[in-house]
């Protein structure tokens, strides 16, 4: 809960992001035959998806995490540049500060997959240093925007944007207008003269900087721990977060012992852009006032969310709130619900929805929810708020408060998500979820349910499950009252 207070603070922050803008393009299809010309698979493309990549992905993550962002970069005057601008605009990010150059090609990474298995990546675009004219325009934008921001994040992919003059300008501005400044760069030595708050090298970048040999597996942890102090001194930074993929991350902070953050195992095909997400979360947490250890833990939580999703993705503020709450099944906002539903639709999951008070969880509830889950792949449970239960059941109900009821339902294996609602009916949730099956218990009939026409209009099916006789919350409450009324007064 302590971490979550910083999430609310950073929604008021304005972050300046600068670095190489890339277009990540995903071509997905199926492959059932080989090419005649060579023993390579033929992929029948069925879908194409464009998303922001590189520093553009960092900007997209900052925006999705709830802060405002100004993005500085250079693209080409080409089709890929137009496609990249469109992906940013779709995510609410202004492209006003993107400089288009006729002398450059927009950086493009095309990934071709068959049945979700990556087969090939094709890269294209300009990587030489930007010319002096473009450099001057970028410096002009930096001088204009730097004083207005609360934090700056540099995503340097070595594609010619962070030239010596640009870095010098940032160093001068950082001296004049000290800000939280986080650098993610393949060439960290270039930033030694800049007053940096934090750096985020991966293992390869760290050993290159330290000029030491590469090790494998968990041996890397102790190796990097031994060199942590020198790493901070080399770049003259307050904090260094060294990411070690499968071994997690090691956090170094001046005057504090190293701190190891465990990893969240995933396949490499699902780790695209996780570093951008990590550095975005780290920047926002530090700018919101979180201490280094806590800021790194928040950043790790953001990265852990995106590595469960295919392709280059971003972490939403609501998903991060949910993750930090410790209850992975609790959906804290309807925005987060929309995201989760879309993911399950992409995976062709059949979604079952039910709702109720679930005040005193008993055998009838457990049996009912188990049967409901067996009708599909994902079971979502809408839970009445305390006030709505009082309106339905009277002033003495609920017995258990909403947070307790949500936690107890979340503990059931049959339940995949719980979400509270305050309306008299779950119609608004139904419109968002569009369940394949809507379930109610045998104490109801379709005629008693005002939601039935909506379910049918949305193409869903209504199922009434058998009622477990002689078991109800009201009956249990009445027995408790009767028992206590017979006890002698003290």
């Amino acid at each position: 809960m302590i971490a979550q207070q910083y999430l609310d603070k950073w929604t008021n922050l304005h972050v300046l992001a600068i670095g190489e803008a890339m277009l990540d393009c995903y071509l997905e299809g199926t492959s059932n035959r080989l090419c005649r010309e060579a023993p390579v698979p033929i992929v029948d493309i069925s879908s194409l998806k464009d998303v922001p990549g590189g520093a553009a992905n960092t900007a997209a993550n900052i925006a999705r995490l709830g802060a405002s962002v100004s993005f500085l970069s250079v693209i080409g005057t080409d089709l890929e540049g137009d496609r990249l601008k469109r992906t940013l605009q779709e995510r609410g990010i202004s492209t006003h500060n993107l400089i288009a150059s006729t002398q450059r090609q927009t950086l493009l990474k095309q990934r071709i997959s068959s049945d979700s298995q990556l087969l090939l990546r094709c890269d294209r675009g300009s990587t030489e240093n930007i010319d002096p004219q473009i450099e001057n325009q970028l410096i002009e934008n930096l001088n204009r925007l730097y004083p207005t921001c609360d934090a700056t994040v540099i995503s340097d992919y070595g594609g010619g944007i962070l030239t010596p003059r640009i870095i010098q300008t940032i160093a001068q501005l950082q001296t004049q207008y000290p800000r939280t400044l986080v650098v993610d760069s393949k060439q960290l030595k270039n930033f030694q003269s800049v007053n940096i708050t934090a750096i985020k090298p991966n293992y390869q970048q760290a050993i290159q900087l330290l000029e030491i040999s590469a090790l494998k597996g968990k041996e890397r942890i102790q190796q990097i721990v031994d060199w942590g102090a020198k790493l901070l001194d080399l770049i003259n930074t307050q904090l260094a977060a060294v990411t070690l993929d499968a071994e997690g991350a090691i956090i170094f902070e001046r005057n504090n012992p190293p701190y190891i953050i465990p990893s969240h195992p995933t396949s490499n095909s699902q780790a695209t852009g996780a570093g951008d997400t990590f550095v975005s979360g780290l920047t926002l947490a530090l700018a919101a006032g979180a201490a280094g250890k806590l800021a790194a833990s928040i950043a790790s939580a953001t990265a852990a969310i995106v590595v469960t999703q295919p392709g280059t993705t971003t972490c939403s503020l609501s998903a991060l709130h949910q993750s930090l709450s410790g209850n992975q099944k609790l959906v804290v906002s309807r925005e987060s619900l929309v995201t989760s539903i879309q993911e399950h639709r992409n995976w062709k999951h059949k979604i079952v929805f039910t709702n109720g008070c679930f005040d005193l969880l008993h055998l009838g509830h457990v049996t009912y929810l188990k049967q409901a889950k067996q009708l599909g792949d994902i079971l979502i449970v809408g839970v009445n708020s305390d006030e709505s239960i009082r309106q339905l059941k009277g002033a003495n109900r609920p017995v258990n408060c909403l947070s307790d009821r949500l936690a107890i339902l979340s503990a059931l294996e049959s339940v995949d998500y719980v979400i509270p609602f305050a309306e008299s009916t779950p119609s608004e949730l139904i419109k968002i979820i569009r369940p394949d099956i809507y379930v109610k218990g045998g104490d109801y009939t379709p005629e008693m349910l005002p939601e039935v026409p909506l379910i049918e209009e949305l193409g869903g099916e209504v199922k009434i499950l058998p009622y477990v006789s002689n078991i109800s919350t009201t009956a249990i409450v009445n027995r408790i009252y009767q028992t206590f009324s017979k006890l002698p007064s003290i």
Side-chain angles (χ1 to χ4, degrees):
M1 296 303 290
I2 295 175
Q4 288 180 285
Q5 70 184 25
Y6 293 103
L7 276 60
D8 297 327
K9 288 182 180 179
W10 77 38
T11 56
N12 297 316
L13 297 179
H14 176 206
V15 179
L16 178 63
I18 180 171
E20 282 78 20
M22 301 179 189
L23 176 67
D24 278 2
C25 174
Y26 292 86
L27 296 162
E28 176 69 36
T30 56
S31 178
N32 300 308
R33 54 206 170 106
L34 294 177
C35 178
R36 287 185 179 182
E37 294 87 351
V40 295
I42 297 173
V43 181
D44 294 314
I45 300 298
S46 57
S47 67
L48 181 152
K49 182 181 180 182
D50 287 338
V51 295
N57 186 41
T58 301
N61 270 282
I62 290 168
R64 189 94 190 280
L65 285 167
S68 62
V69 61
S70 294
F71 180 42
L72 296 182
S73 191
V74 181
I75 59 174
T77 53
D78 48 23
L79 178 60
E80 289 74 23
D82 292 339
R83 288 161 58 188
L84 176 55
K85 286 195 289 186
R86 186 162 57 248
T87 67
L88 290 169
Q89 291 163 353
E90 289 170 351
R91 289 157 177 79
I93 300 169
S94 171
T95 58
H96 177 73
N97 296 303
L98 277 182
I99 300 170
S101 170
T102 57
Q103 305 302 313
R104 296 182 73 85
Q105 276 191 323
T106 301
L107 290 166
L108 170 69
K109 292 182 179 179
Q110 288 190 115
R111 295 172 175 86
I112 301 174
S113 301
S114 173
D115 298 319
S116 300
Q117 177 63 50
L118 181 63
L119 300 179
L120 180 68
R121 194 183 95 180
C122 303
D123 293 1
R124 190 178 70 197
S126 303
T127 57
E128 70 276 7
N129 282 354
I130 53 176
D131 62 50
Q133 183 180 355
I134 296 296
E135 202 174 42
N136 288 337
Q137 292 182 50
L138 199 54
I139 289 172
E140 182 181 328
N141 287 340
L142 269 170
N143 286 324
R144 174 171 51 86
L145 292 170
Y146 208 96
T148 70
C149 72
D150 300 292
T152 298
V153 57
I154 297 173
S155 293
D156 176 19
Y157 281 80
I161 304 299
L162 277 302
T163 65
R165 278 189 66 208
I166 297 296
I167 294 172
Q168 183 183 22
T169 300
I170 293 172
Q172 292 169 348
L173 288 166
Q174 179 69 351
T175 299
Q176 189 175 0
Y177 309 101
R179 301 287 188 262
T180 297
L181 175 57
V182 179
V183 178
D184 184 9
S185 172
K186 294 184 176 182
Q187 298 292 332
L188 281 167
K189 280 189 176 180
N190 294 340
F191 296 87
Q192 288 173 312
S193 62
V194 183
N195 182 22
I196 297 173
T197 307
I199 58 174
K200 191 217 70 66
N202 59 29
Y203 176 72
Q204 289 299 326
Q205 292 163 356
I207 63 172
Q208 178 186 2
L209 186 64
L210 295 166
E211 298 179 346
I212 56 178
S213 301
L215 298 180
K216 293 183 179 180
K218 294 184 178 180
E219 294 180 355
R220 300 181 302 171
I221 296 176
Q222 189 58 51
Q223 180 194 32
I224 294 299
V225 166
D226 292 341
W227 288 88
K230 184 175 181 180
L231 192 60
L232 293 173
D233 289 338
L234 274 173
I235 307 302
N236 189 29
T237 183
Q238 297 300 310
L239 184 146
V242 183
T243 54
L244 303 174
D245 47 76
E247 276 71 53
I250 306 174
I251 311 305
F252 301 101
E253 194 173 12
R254 293 191 185 277
N255 305 318
N256 285 307
Y259 174 64
I260 299 175
I261 301 176
S263 68
H264 302 268
T266 183
S267 63
N268 287 335
S269 63
Q270 290 182 303
T272 307
D276 301 325
T277 306
F278 184 100
V279 79
S280 300
L282 182 65
T283 302
L284 289 171
L286 289 171
K293 181 178 176 180
L294 179 58
S297 296
I298 293 172
S300 181
T302 64
I305 291 169
V306 299
V307 297
T308 64
Q309 307 168 35
T312 305
T313 54
T314 55
C315 174
S316 70
L317 181 61
S318 57
L320 184 56
H321 264 296
Q322 180 178 339
S323 174
L324 294 175
S325 73
N327 184 349
Q328 300 298 317
K329 295 183 178 182
L330 173 61
V331 181
V332 295
S333 75
R334 296 188 180 184
E335 177 200 3
S336 179
L337 179 62
V338 170
T339 301
S340 298
I341 292 297
Q342 185 57 53
E343 289 172 5
H344 289 296
R345 293 291 183 209
N346 292 340
W347 296 330
K348 311 298 182 186
H349 288 164
K350 181 180 284 188
I351 297 174
V352 182
F353 174 66
T354 189
N355 65 279
C357 301
F358 300 100
D359 190 1
L360 292 176
L361 200 68
H362 52 65
L363 176 62
H365 289 141
V366 175
T367 303
Y368 165 75
L369 292 171
K370 184 176 180 180
Q371 292 173 343
K373 175 60 181 285
Q374 291 171 347
L375 296 174
D377 302 301
I378 299 297
L379 175 60
I380 302 173
V381 181
V383 185
N384 287 83
S385 67
D386 292 347
E387 180 58 33
S388 66
I389 291 179
R390 280 189 283 271
Q391 294 175 4
L392 289 169
K393 305 287 187 179
N396 292 328
R397 298 283 297 277
V399 175
N400 286 323
C401 66
L402 177 62
S403 60
D404 288 351
R405 290 182 285 122
L406 292 169
I408 293 169
L409 284 168
S410 297
L412 296 180
E413 184 178 356
S414 58
V415 175
D416 294 289
Y417 297 102
V418 293
I419 182 168
F421 69 98
E423 301 89 348
S424 57
T425 74
S427 295
E428 291 304 312
L429 285 181
I430 289 171
K431 291 176 184 177
I432 294 172
I433 297 168
R434 304 175 70 91
D436 298 289
I437 300 175
Y438 178 57
V439 178
K440 291 296 285 186
D443 47 344
Y444 289 91
T445 65
E447 292 73 26
M448 297 168 63
L449 300 171
E451 302 87 3
V452 168
L454 176 60
I455 293 290
E456 293 175 343
E457 178 186 336
L458 295 173
E461 180 182 2
V462 177
K463 289 276 191 180
I464 304 297
L465 295 182
Y467 178 71
V468 180
S469 60
N470 300 320
I471 300 178
S472 74
T473 301
T474 300
I476 293 172
V477 171
N478 288 338
R479 286 203 301 272
I480 293 171
Y481 282 139
Q482 290 170 8
T483 300
F484 274 92
S485 67
K486 294 176 183 179
L487 294 176
S489 59
I490 298 175

